[in-house]
Amino acid sequence: MQVKCPYCNHSVNSAIICETCGENIRWVEKIYEKSELYYIKAYECAEGRYLSEAVEYLKKAIYFNKYNIQAKNLLGLIYLEMGEVASALKLWILSDALCKEDNIAVEYMEKLQKEPKQLEAYKDSLMLYNRALHYVHKKDDDVAVIRLKKAINLNPSFLEARNLLAFCYLLQKQENKALAQVLYVLKKDRSNKKALGYLREIESKNVVIEDEESRKTISAPHINDIDISTDVVPQKFINRGGLFSRYAMYFVFGAVCMFGIGIGLIVPSKTASLEKKVYDMTSENTSLKVEFDTFVEEATQKALALESNNQKLAEENELLKQQHNKVSQENKLAKAKAYKEESKWIESAEILNNIAVQDLSEENQKVYQSLKETVYPKAGDRLYDLGNNLFKQGNNVEAMLNFEKVLIFAPGTRTAAQALYNMGQIEEKNNNKTKALQFYNIILEDYKDTNAYYKAKDRAEKLK
């Protein structure tokens, strides 16, 4: 597995020590595996149309590994399916910025850009939704319903708009219409929490869909196909008897006479005219060939000049991009420093973790290193305290997330060893002995001079 070294930001193949900066990065691979696990869970949820649940898993996958391109692209597709086009485009743009080669996000964006009218409709639907929210806060649900219906007409997959419309219908005691919107949402996203909450409320009133409008909403056709039948009236036939036969005989006789005249008089003159046309066309063709060759030569020269200008513009663009990245990273560094002055260790550490060190000046790289040496250990201690309190309260999921962050900011410390031991304890409570042993074995291999070592050794022997 290829990972990004968090210390120097260079790509490294599976290894314990970074080849560039010499830091221990074994823990990074485990974090990447965690990200991949969340991605797989999200993929399974998306296949079963549990979209909201998939979104939560994908956000965790990206949190643990911001370079997880597959997770960003899948999250964008899910947002698009839920009608949140702006969020989808934002993710695909970030994905394209991180990975330029063989990135399917480019195809997704190109498909959307080929339909500017549809993009404008998505934009208008979002504007209508925001206005509807304003009217709901003012308790003017009638106007909100009108805005939401227009938004859904422009973007039928906009699930948040449908949820809000269902809420308005519930306020108006129109449970059957609300149920239709809720069922449409759950048809697309089986784990949508808002829709499930509305459904429980509606089911408690034994509502049944009876009106035709609500039934159509559930199926939600985007286009109404209309079949048009055209009747073709057959032509009338008139029988003229022997008169028709006589006229036909006269016509054939006249045609034969005209053919003889044409052969004798018209053909020779026509031949001479055609020969002249061939000569004129040959001369014209020669002239056109000369003009074409001249045009091709001029076009080639212009193309070479344009290619040269394009290369210069590309170089200038790359320089501007580097300058922009440098300013952006220096702003992050200043923000991290401000958080450090306020003793906000966790916020400062998270910003430092997202700084591209190679884009900083040599002087700011020293400032970054100094900040990291001060902030990371304190952030690790703070995260451990938060995780330990959550662990004692029985909130194992959130506790595990905090302990995992400890390994990012304070690897190799006694705090990290204790965090690993608590993670093993959580996995034991979850009856996952194999995973618990993995955490204990890491302590036994890398943290021999800590108190957690003896506790981990005792638990590992009992589990074996």
Side-chain angles (χ1 to χ4, degrees):
M1 178 185 289
Q2 192 178 66
V3 300
K4 283 270 189 180
C5 175
Y7 302 103
C8 64
N9 210 38
H10 281 82
S11 296
V12 182
N13 290 322
S14 295
I16 298 176
I17 304 298
C18 176
E19 300 170 356
T20 306
C21 63
E23 294 284 350
N24 187 329
I25 58 168
R26 180 178 179 182
W27 56 272
V28 180
E29 188 169 346
K30 298 184 181 297
I31 297 298
Y32 275 41
E33 288 175 357
K34 190 79 173 177
S35 174
E36 192 64 25
L37 178 62
Y38 280 129
Y39 169 74
I40 292 169
K41 287 182 178 179
Y43 187 87
E44 291 172 351
C45 288
E47 277 192 320
R49 300 208 71 82
Y50 294 93
L51 301 186
S52 295
E53 194 172 344
V55 167
E56 295 303 316
Y57 281 128
L58 287 169
K59 285 180 179 178
K60 290 180 180 179
I62 295 168
Y63 177 83
F64 285 112
N65 179 11
K66 66 179 179 181
Y67 300 102
N68 194 333
I69 302 302
Q70 289 180 319
K72 288 181 184 291
N73 290 344
L74 179 57
L75 184 54
L77 283 176
I78 292 174
Y79 277 141
L80 184 65
E81 179 70 9
M82 295 167 74
E84 299 176 26
V85 182
S87 299
L89 279 171
K90 180 181 177 182
L91 280 163
W92 291 336
I93 290 169
L94 290 172
S95 172
D96 180 45
L98 290 173
C99 177
K100 295 288 185 182
E101 297 180 1
D102 299 327
N103 193 341
I104 199 170
V106 177
E107 294 182 23
Y108 297 154
M109 290 189 287
E110 286 177 352
K111 286 180 181 178
L112 280 177
Q113 289 167 356
K114 285 179 181 177
E115 299 179 359
K117 290 184 179 179
Q118 189 60 49
L119 279 176
E120 191 67 25
Y122 290 145
K123 178 183 174 182
D124 292 342
S125 69
L126 183 59
M127 181 180 67
L128 288 165
Y129 171 76
N130 289 330
R131 287 181 181 174
L133 270 177
H134 173 71
Y135 286 119
V136 169
H137 287 308
K138 291 175 65 177
K139 297 184 179 180
D140 194 352
D141 48 275
D142 290 330
V143 179
V145 167
I146 295 170
R147 296 289 185 273
L148 290 168
K149 282 183 175 181
K150 289 181 179 178
I152 292 168
N153 186 48
L154 291 169
N155 185 3
S157 297
F158 199 173
L159 302 190
E160 279 301 307
R162 289 186 179 274
N163 276 331
L164 186 58
L165 182 57
F167 175 73
C168 291
Y169 281 143
L170 287 173
L171 291 177
Q172 297 174 352
K173 307 298 182 184
Q174 298 186 61
E175 286 83 2
N176 58 334
K177 290 185 178 180
L179 180 58
Q181 298 297 333
V182 168
L183 291 178
Y184 179 92
V185 173
L186 293 177
K187 186 178 178 182
K188 283 234 175 193
D189 177 12
R190 297 178 181 176
S191 57
N192 192 290
K193 292 181 180 179
K194 288 182 182 177
L196 289 170
Y198 295 152
L199 183 62
R200 283 193 292 270
E201 183 176 345
I202 294 168
E203 285 180 340
S204 65
K205 300 178 181 179
N206 298 320
V207 176
V208 178
I209 294 179
E210 295 178 351
D211 61 298
E212 190 64 26
E213 181 185 351
S214 299
R215 288 176 181 170
K216 286 181 179 179
T217 300
I218 299 172
S219 58
H222 297 180
I223 300 173
N224 293 319
D225 296 325
I226 302 173
D227 295 329
I228 301 174
S229 301
T230 305
D231 296 328
V232 180
V233 180
Q235 295 179 350
K236 293 182 180 179
F237 177 78
I238 301 174
N239 184 9
R240 298 188 182 273
L243 183 62
F244 176 80
S245 301
R246 194 178 309 142
Y247 287 157
M249 184 177 65
Y250 292 157
F251 174 77
V252 171
F253 178 74
V256 171
C257 292
M258 289 301 297
F259 180 74
I261 294 169
I263 293 294
L265 299 174
I266 300 173
V267 171
S269 175
K270 192 72 173 177
T271 302
S273 176
L274 288 172
E275 287 177 349
K276 186 177 183 302
K277 283 186 178 180
V278 168
Y279 175 80
D280 292 340
M281 290 178 70
T282 303
S283 300
E284 186 180 0
N285 184 53
T286 304
S287 176
L288 287 171
K289 188 176 186 306
V290 173
E291 290 179 8
F292 178 76
D293 291 340
T294 305
F295 172 79
V296 168
E297 186 176 355
E298 290 176 355
T300 303
Q301 295 298 325
K302 288 181 181 178
L304 290 172
L306 287 171
E307 186 176 353
S308 176
N309 290 335
N310 187 47
Q311 186 174 356
K312 288 179 182 178
L313 288 171
E315 290 172 356
E316 291 175 2
N317 185 49
E318 184 62 28
L319 181 62
L320 289 171
K321 189 176 179 181
Q322 289 175 2
Q323 291 174 350
H324 172 74
N325 289 340
K326 184 178 179 180
V327 171
S328 176
Q329 301 310 312
E330 287 176 352
N331 287 338
K332 287 182 182 179
L333 185 64
K335 194 172 183 180
K337 190 174 180 181
Y339 277 136
K340 179 248 182 186
E341 298 299 330
E342 297 173 8
S343 298
K344 294 181 178 180
W345 308 112
I346 297 175
E347 293 85 346
S348 180
E350 288 180 340
I351 291 175
L352 288 171
N353 190 47
N354 286 312
I355 290 178
V357 185
Q358 72 275 10
D359 291 333
L360 295 173
S361 65
E362 188 173 340
E363 182 181 352
N364 280 330
Q365 285 183 9
K366 293 178 182 178
V367 174
Y368 167 85
Q369 193 61 37
S370 174
L371 273 174
K372 194 169 75 168
E373 290 172 0
T374 304
V375 170
Y376 272 28
K378 291 184 179 294
D381 292 339
R382 178 64 181 144
L383 285 164
Y384 174 77
D385 292 337
L386 290 172
N388 198 36
N389 289 334
L390 291 166
F391 176 56
K392 290 177 180 178
Q393 294 169 13
N395 191 345
N396 293 335
V397 174
E398 294 298 326
M400 183 69 84
L401 290 173
N402 281 280
F403 291 144
E404 287 169 347
K405 290 181 187 178
V406 172
L407 302 181
I408 296 174
F409 298 123
T413 62
R414 295 178 181 275
T415 305
Q418 190 58 44
L420 283 165
Y421 178 78
N422 287 349
M423 291 165 77
Q425 291 284 290
I426 290 172
E427 294 297 346
E428 277 196 63
K429 288 184 177 181
N430 293 335
N431 293 321
N432 193 346
K433 294 182 180 180
T434 303
K435 194 67 178 178
L437 271 173
Q438 289 180 3
F439 289 124
Y440 294 146
N441 287 333
I442 293 173
I443 297 172
L444 297 177
E445 289 176 14
D446 301 332
Y447 298 86
K448 294 181 180 179
D449 297 326
T450 63
N451 294 331
Y453 173 83
Y454 300 101
K455 294 189 287 184
K457 185 177 180 181
D458 179 58
R459 293 306 309 159
E461 289 174 355
K462 289 181 179 180
L463 290 175
K464 290 177 182 177

